[in-house]
Amino acid sequence: MKHKSSVILFFILFISFSICDISAVRAQKSQIQIARNVLGKLQVAVASGKSKKDQLNIMGEGIKATESAEKDRRTKNWPETWSIKAYLSSYISLIDEDENNAERYFNIATDAVKTATELDKYQDNGKLIEATNFNLIIKKQEKGNKAYYSNEFINAYNLLRDVSDFFPKDTTLAINTGIAAQIIRSYDNALFYLKRAKDNGAKNPVIFQSLATTYASKFEPEIAIKTLEEGIKLNPYNSFLTNDYINLLLDNEKYDKALEVIEQGLKVETKNKLLYFLYGYLQQLKSNNSTAELAYKRALGLDQNYFVALYQLGLAYVEMANESLSSKKEKYLQQFTANINRSESTLLQAHEINPNDKFTVQLLIDIYTRKNRLDKVQELKRKLQEF
């Protein structure tokens, strides 16, 4: 009898525990069902134009359900648990106007979708995972653009590269990613994304400017020059491309080619003071100081306070004065005096505009030394010592 009673007690306990287990499983399954139902409710809310607040309230119910399922040993490793949590969290990160909360759910979604992907061996939750990844990419684009326009280029690049890789045909994304990479001196990555934009048909002058700058930074000037030539063909008469092209030619001492480009540019841009200045500068390099003088005066006619043109014009007058010294004829001596006086007047204008330029002060000291104005020489030398 005692054995029989023991068997009956065991049977009753077994039944009790089994009922509890079944109830627990049903409870956890019901949490997953709640989360599933939330997905349906959310779809209806979005379609019917419910407010963000209403949508957030609906998703809050789903998040609670997944958190309960996540804590139970029976459902914590269900890919559906993590897939629903990831999707709802990613959507909250997009619509929640509280930036801190949105950022928190972005991080939650990032971790949850990783877990969901690892658990979803048979890809039963593929659509939810795909939708989550899409939401996260949109959020990364938002964060990346904000970082880019806040000059936080390391953060911008790390975010935008993922977005560009997701949308490889978007040329604006590729350009911004490439520029961010260029600014942080990640030159190979800059070339990759800028080329992506170009290869997808973009003709924006910024692409060619940035590519050329990157090639120049990698000490590949010939490729940089060819890149700018390609950009100019696609964007004829673009002043930014043309100026970069001329400067690159000058940096690499391709003076004849630079002069040719400037002459062509001046046929179209008759009001471009920089082109006149550069034309004068190149003529001055060839010792054609009279031609240089005319070019500098044209530049100053467009901007009378154009400092570099004033300085170079003053220097040209000094060089013309020095040329006059090679002859002892009276008229050449008169030309020497006239050019020295012109140089003094021009350089004083330049000095007034930029009183802290050492080269201007040194030239004025040279002029006053020649004119035996020792008081001015001492005054300017004291000024030099103050710099």
Side-chain angles (χ1 to χ4, degrees), residues 25 51 72 127 144 167 169 175 179 187 189 218 245 254 260 281 312 328 330 351 386:
V25 170
S51 68
D72 189 85
K127 288 186 177 179
F167 299 114
K169 300 293 183 183
I175 293 170
I179 292 173
Y187 296 129
N189 288 318
K218 287 170 64 69
Y245 183 44
K254 297 181 180 291
E260 179 186 329
Y281 177 77
Q312 286 298 142
K328 294 184 178 179
E330 184 66 26
H351 182 58
E386 293 173 3

Side-chain angles (χ1 to χ4, degrees), residues 87-126:
Y87 175 74
L88 293 176
S89 298
S90 70
Y91 192 58
I92 290 172
S93 77
L94 284 177
I95 70 168
D96 197 327
E97 295 178 358
D98 183 326
E99 288 189 11
N100 292 330
N101 207 43
E103 182 66 19
R104 185 168 74 88
Y105 276 100
F106 171 78
N107 293 328
I108 290 172
T110 301
D111 293 337
V113 78
K114 183 180 178 181
T115 303
T117 303
E118 291 171 354
L119 293 172
D120 197 35
K121 305 297 183 185
Y122 302 104
Q123 299 183 349
D124 295 326
N125 299 277

Side-chain angles (χ1 to χ4, degrees), residues 273-284:
K273 67 177 183 179
L274 177 61
L275 288 182
Y276 282 116
F277 168 76
L278 291 174
Y279 183 77
Y281 177 77
L282 289 175
Q283 292 294 342
Q284 195 171 1

